[in-house]
Amino acid sequence: MTRTVAVIGLNAFNRAKLEALRGAEAITFHGILDPDELVYDVAGFDLAAALAKAETEIRAIDGGVDAIVGYMDFPVSTMLPLLCARFGTRTPTLESLLMCEHKYWSRLVQREVIPDNVPAFTAFDPFDPEALGRIGAAGIGFPFFVKPIKSSGARLGFRIDTPEDFAAAAERLRAENEVVSAPFNRILDHAELPDAVRRVNGHHCLAESIIGGHQCTVEGYVHDGEVTVYGIVDSVRYPHVISFFRYDYPSTLPERVQQRMRELAATVMRRTDVDNAPFNIEFFWDEALDRIWLLEINPRISESHCDLFEKVDGVSNQQVAIDLALGMKPRMPWREGAYTLAAKVFHRVFVADATVTRVPTQAEIDAVRARVPGTLVAVQVRERMRLSELPEQDSYSYAVAWIWLGAHSRAELLAKYRAVLDGLPFAFDEIASNAPAHPGGGDPPHA
C-alpha cells in the first residue's frame, strides 16, 4: 500500500535523499510550502498565514496524508505539531519540542538532570540598561557568550570579553532579533509554559559561561520512549572564530567519550518527553579537563548531515524522520555507503559585507563534479546580491557555498576540497572589511 507524506519546505536536494530511502518506492512525497516562504525576512514571518497555507495545500492532496514531516529548523520544527494536530498525524507535543528549542527552558531542564555538563547561565533583556550588571550578579563574568532565546546557525551569537563588546552585541540584538523573536512568540502563545519560562519570551537572550573543546553533534531518535543514537558528527571550526569550517562523519573522538555523550543524550531526552521523533544534540569535549558540555538540543534531524549519512551508512538520516512519522522503528543502516568518511564544507568569506560580482556557472560546477566524483555543490549567493542579504548567517562570516565530499582518509578529503575550490571561482566588490579577519587568509585549516 502506498503511503502519502507531506514534507514542509521540500527542495530538490532533499527530495533526492527521500526517494533513495528504504521503502521509498511505497511512499509518495508531497512538498508543502516553498522553502523560500520559510526563511525570515526583515518584515518578520507570518506564522498564521504560513499555517493556513500549509493546511490548504495538505487538504488538497487526494486521499489525505499519513504523515507530515520537516527537516528544517524554526519555524518548520515548531509548526509541525500544530499542523499534525489538525490532521491527526504522529507528532511530539509542542511543549516537549519547546523544552529543546527555547534555549532558557532547555537549560533549566538540562540542569535538572545533567548539572555537571551545563555552564552557568541566565536570561536577560537586551533592552534592559542594567542587563550587564544582572548578568554579573548571576555569577557570570568575562568572558561569556550571548545569544537569543531562539536562533539558529550561530545567528546573533557573540563572545563578550569587555563591557564594550556587550554594548555592541546588545545593540545588534535590539535591532535584529525581532525577525525571529516575533514569530517565535506566536508559537509560544500556543503552548502551556511554566511561569518561569513564560516570563522569558523570544525577545530575551541568554548569557552563559564560555564552554569549548572538540565540538560534535549526536544524532538520534526516541521511539516509544526508547532513546537510540545512530551517529556522531564532528564540527570543525575555523581558528579563533565561531564559524564552522566543516562537518565530518564519523566522529574521531575517543569511543569512551562518544559513549558518555550517548548516555547524556539519553538522559536529557527522556526528561524532555520528546517521543517518536528525531533529535540532534551538540556537545563539546574539553580534552584538557576531560569534561563534556552540552551546547544545545535540536528536536529534528540535521539537514546538513543528510548526505554524510548517505555516503557513509548508505541512506540519509531522513530515513529516521520518515519511519518515525509513519509509526515504525527506524531502519537506519550502518556503514553500507560508498565512502569511509564524508564531510560538508562551508566555503566562507570573512568580511563585514560585500557585493557578489561572480559565482561559478553550472558548467563549472558540473566540471568539478566530473573531476571529483561524489561531490555535491550548493552555491548560496547570486551575482549582484549583497552578502548581508543571506539569511541565518553567523556573526563573523558568510557561507557562499556548501560542498559535500566523500573520501577514504582525511588527507584525501582535504585534497578533494582544494581541487573543488580551484574550480569554483567567486568574486566580490564593495568589500566592507570591519569584521574580524580570518587568521589564515581564507585557507582551510589543517586537520
Side-chain angles (χ1 to χ4, degrees), residues 37-273:
E37 299 177 82
L38 298 166
V39 176
Y40 331 115
D41 58 31
V42 292
F45 177 75
D46 191 335
L47 174 68
L51 285 169
K53 185 175 182 182
E55 182 174 356
T56 298
E57 292 182 12
I58 293 171
R59 293 197 185 282
I61 297 173
D62 289 341
V65 296
D66 298 290
I68 307 171
V69 301
Y71 46 79
M72 300 169 69
D73 197 357
F74 180 81
V76 172
S77 54
T78 38
M79 285 174 60
L80 281 171
L82 302 178
L83 281 172
C84 289
R86 299 179 188 186
F87 290 91
T89 58
R90 293 173 185 82
T91 180
T93 65
L94 176 60
E95 287 76 13
S96 69
L97 297 181
L98 287 172
M99 267 191 248
C100 302
E101 293 208 10
H102 186 298
K103 294 189 189 300
Y104 180 66
W105 193 2
S106 187
R107 283 302 194 204
L108 293 176
V109 167
Q110 295 162 32
R111 190 168 61 186
E112 285 181 30
V113 292
I114 54 168
D116 292 340
N117 308 98
V118 179
F121 66 92
T122 190
F124 71 93
D125 182 349
F127 290 90
D128 178 5
E130 304 299 323
L132 184 58
R134 299 185 200 280
I135 292 169
I140 300 173
F142 298 112
F144 59 92
F145 197 78
V146 299
K147 55 189 173 183
I149 287 298
K150 178 58 195 165
S151 185
S152 63
R155 181 182 177 275
L156 293 179
F158 302 95
R159 178 188 167 101
I160 307 299
D161 289 288
T162 65
E164 292 75 20
D165 287 345
F166 182 79
E171 183 177 2
R172 287 279 304 278
L173 289 162
R174 289 192 296 269
E176 300 177 33
N177 193 34
E178 178 77 11
V179 172
V180 177
S181 66
F184 188 63
N185 282 339
R186 296 186 192 103
I187 290 284
L188 295 180
D189 288 340
H190 291 270
E192 295 184 13
L193 306 175
D195 289 342
V197 175
R198 185 166 293 283
R199 289 193 293 268
V200 180
N201 64 25
H203 297 295
H204 288 75
C205 299
L206 197 68
E208 53 187 38
S209 300
I210 295 291
I211 56 177
H214 297 271
Q215 187 172 354
C216 67
T217 301
V218 171
E219 287 248 5
Y221 61 85
V222 189
H223 177 250
D224 290 346
E226 181 182 350
V227 181
T228 299
V229 170
Y230 57 86
I232 300 179
V233 179
D234 288 338
S235 301
V236 182
R237 295 181 184 270
Y238 285 91
H240 309 303
V241 291
I242 65 173
S243 306
F244 288 117
F245 171 38
R246 67 179 196 268
Y247 300 143
D248 287 355
Y249 180 65
S251 174
T252 60
L253 290 175
E255 176 54 33
R256 65 175 181 83
V257 176
Q258 294 189 46
Q259 180 57 31
R260 180 60 180 144
M261 289 178 176
R262 294 184 193 103
E263 294 166 356
L264 292 169
T267 298
V268 76
M269 291 310 298
R270 283 192 289 265
R271 172 60 183 86
T272 66
D273 296 327

Side-chain angles (χ1 to χ4, degrees), residues 20 43 88 121 124 176 182 290 377 421-422:
F121 66 92
F124 71 93
E176 300 177 33
D290 194 21
V377 176
L421 282 193
D422 287 343

